[in-house]
Amino acid sequence: MEKQERQSNLELLRIISMMGVIVLHYNNTEMGGAFALAFGVNKGILFVLESIFICGVNVYMLISGYFLCLKNQRRLWRPVELVVQVMVFGLGFYILGVVLRQKEFTMAGLGQSLVPNNYFVILYIVCFLLSPYINVALHKIGQKQSLRLMILMFLLFSVWPTAVDVLGELSGMEWAGLSTVGISGSQGGYTIVNFVMMYCMGAYLRLYLKKEYSLTSLLAALAAAVALLSGWAAFNSLHGILGGSAWEYCNPLVLWRR
């Protein structure tokens, strides 16, 4: 195993992806509420911002795979730290809500605030614990088979479930059981399947992909993907769907932009 080296460009990309997640939460109608209040040009700007940053979680997982694929030792205390942090934040927000008289103090409410029901943290921990075994598999099968695996995962866990969701949006029906991810379609990509796929792709980039692309070509690809996603989301919006399949984490265009 080669020695891990910090790469400032990827660390910066990780920070940008985390900022992107904040933007997504601000736009969310149930969290920041931006989409619920925006109209006209402002709403168009939000569509573009959402399309730019929707890859934030994927980028974070891809970078995790890039850095963790060369080291199979894991600090098992790390998952515990993450869970404790979620519990502390949950408790802090609950107490703040009580102090500001936005909610009434109850023992049940206090107990619920300590439950670490954060999908990202839970799925990240699962992927983190599985990652040493994923690393062994990718090293063992080599570059050629790893590339085939990446293509197969992309087709099965990105293209197919997104196509099923698009079919549902166009037909107005739920095609339960047709998706390769779960009974209820792609679940927006909020699944361990998507997390593991992004980890594997990040690991593949580190282990086997040596080709470099120019900044111009990367920016062109980014602009094209953002334009397509924004148009896709706008089309869905005309049919009463906010984002829908356009802004799923497993959408092929979202993965392409990583």
Side-chain angles (χ1 to χ4, degrees), residues 86-87 110-118:
V86 173
M87 295 174 67
L110 178 63
Q112 290 175 2
S113 71
L114 293 173
V115 177
N117 57 329
N118 182 297

Side-chain angles (χ1 to χ4, degrees), residues 68-69 71-76 128-129 131-132 135 199:
L68 291 175
C69 69
K71 187 176 181 181
N72 288 337
Q73 293 182 341
R74 298 286 182 268
R75 286 195 310 124
L76 295 182
F128 180 84
L129 294 175
S131 61
N135 295 346
Y199 179 94

Side-chain angles (χ1 to χ4, degrees), residues 43-204:
K43 192 169 185 177
I45 294 174
L46 291 182
F47 269 62
V48 174
L49 288 175
E50 190 83 3
S51 297
I52 291 174
F53 292 114
I54 194 62
C55 62
V57 170
N58 284 350
V59 169
Y60 191 90
M61 290 306 304
L62 182 130
I63 293 175
S64 296
Y66 187 91
F67 282 120
L68 291 175
C69 69
L70 298 178
K71 187 176 181 181
N72 288 337
Q73 293 182 341
R74 298 286 182 268
R75 286 195 310 124
L76 295 182
W77 183 247
R78 178 58 176 164
V80 177
E81 289 178 339
L82 291 174
V83 171
V84 170
Q85 288 172 13
V86 173
M87 295 174 67
V88 169
F89 276 110
L91 177 62
F93 282 119
Y94 178 76
I95 294 175
L96 182 62
V98 172
V99 172
L100 296 178
R101 300 183 183 279
Q102 294 179 349
K103 57 184 67 177
E104 183 180 351
F105 176 82
T106 64
M107 292 303 297
L110 178 63
Q112 290 175 2
S113 71
L114 293 173
V115 177
N117 57 329
N118 182 297
Y119 94 93
F120 175 81
V121 170
I122 298 301
L123 295 187
Y124 180 83
I125 289 174
V126 173
C127 189
F128 180 84
L129 294 175
L130 292 175
S131 61
Y133 307 99
I134 296 173
N135 295 346
V136 171
L138 292 178
H139 281 85
K140 194 74 173 179
I141 64 178
Q143 181 175 4
K144 186 175 181 180
Q145 293 299 325
S146 292
L147 177 58
R148 291 179 177 177
L149 176 62
M150 297 305 106
I151 295 173
L152 185 61
M153 293 177 73
F154 178 73
L155 293 175
L156 292 178
F157 303 137
S158 176
V159 175
W160 181 264
T162 302
V164 172
D165 287 352
V166 171
L167 176 62
E169 291 170 351
L170 294 176
S171 66
M173 299 173 58
E174 181 180 358
W175 298 87
L178 186 59
S179 175
T180 53
V181 176
I183 191 170
S184 58
S186 71
Q187 300 179 55
Y190 298 94
T191 66
I192 187 59
V193 172
N194 199 65
F195 274 53
V196 170
M197 178 170 62
M198 296 313 304
Y199 179 94
C200 289
M201 289 183 175
Y204 178 84

Side-chain angles (χ1 to χ4, degrees), residues 225-242:
V226 169
L228 290 171
L229 286 175
S230 298
W232 188 338
F235 175 81
N236 283 349
S237 180
L238 293 175
H239 295 81
I241 302 171
L242 181 58

